[in-house]
Amino acid sequence: MRNSKGDTALHIAARAGHFSVVKILVEKSRDVQGGRKETNNILIRIQNKGKNTVLHEALRCPRSDVVKMLTEKDPELWCFVNEAGESPLYLAVKGGLTEIAREVLQSSHTCSRRAKRLDGITRRNYLGRLQ
């Protein structure tokens, strides 16, 4: 079920930083979805009306343990941009989660490689803020 803002229970738990609840919901979603690898991330990738994923919401809290757990389950969450044009990487830097942002920028993940190649505001602002 979703609320009037399009949030699932996972969105709400992630926003509140409830690690144990997020973990249970992610694990139970695997059971409901049959445990198949290609369907494991459906609940994690649901976007609310503002196009925020659970990672966007977790980064607003911010609880690095929730962020790390979600992105270990689905590294592609770093690729989603919300309605305001904010990527999870942007929110990590804005929220002062410099260690997580540094890890993403140094990783070999597709989205982080794309961010590394950008000439404009993204790479310079991210790396400048991390100094």
Side-chain angles (χ1 to χ4, degrees):
M1 296 292 298
R2 294 182 186 220
N3 66 15
S4 62
K5 296 177 183 176
D7 291 330
T8 64
L10 187 54
H11 281 95
I12 295 165
R15 185 180 316 119
H18 292 297
F19 179 83
S20 59
V21 175
V22 171
K23 185 175 180 180
I24 289 168
L25 289 172
V26 169
E27 291 304 318
K28 291 298 176 187
S29 74
R30 288 181 155 189
D31 295 342
V32 171
Q33 297 167 22
R36 293 190 320 256
K37 186 174 177 112
E38 65 275 8
T39 61
N40 283 346
N41 300 326
I42 290 173
L43 182 62
I44 294 175
R45 291 184 178 191
I46 290 175
Q47 294 175 292
N48 64 16
K49 288 185 178 178
K51 300 238 182 249
N52 291 310
T53 65
V54 294
L55 181 57
H56 286 93
E57 299 299 347
L59 286 161
R60 293 181 199 289
C61 180
R63 284 281 308 267
S64 60
D65 56 346
V66 173
V67 171
K68 286 181 181 183
M69 191 266 294
L70 289 169
T71 57
E72 284 172 3
K73 298 288 183 189
D74 187 5
E76 294 293 318
L77 286 173
W78 290 108
C79 299
F80 288 81
V81 177
N82 67 15
E83 193 173 74
E86 300 167 326
S87 70
L89 181 58
Y90 170 80
L91 293 176
V93 173
K94 182 179 174 183
L97 295 172
T98 55
E99 188 59 36
I100 289 174
R102 196 175 282 118
E103 288 174 18
V104 172
L105 286 169
Q106 292 171 349
S107 76
S108 61
H109 189 270
T110 304
C111 294
S112 66
R113 286 195 312 261
R114 190 177 318 137
K116 287 177 189 175
R117 287 195 307 264
L118 294 175
D119 289 331
I121 191 168
T122 305
R123 179 150 168 80
R124 274 184 289 215
N125 278 358
Y126 288 161
L127 293 177
R129 288 184 182 191
L130 295 178
Q131 303 299 329

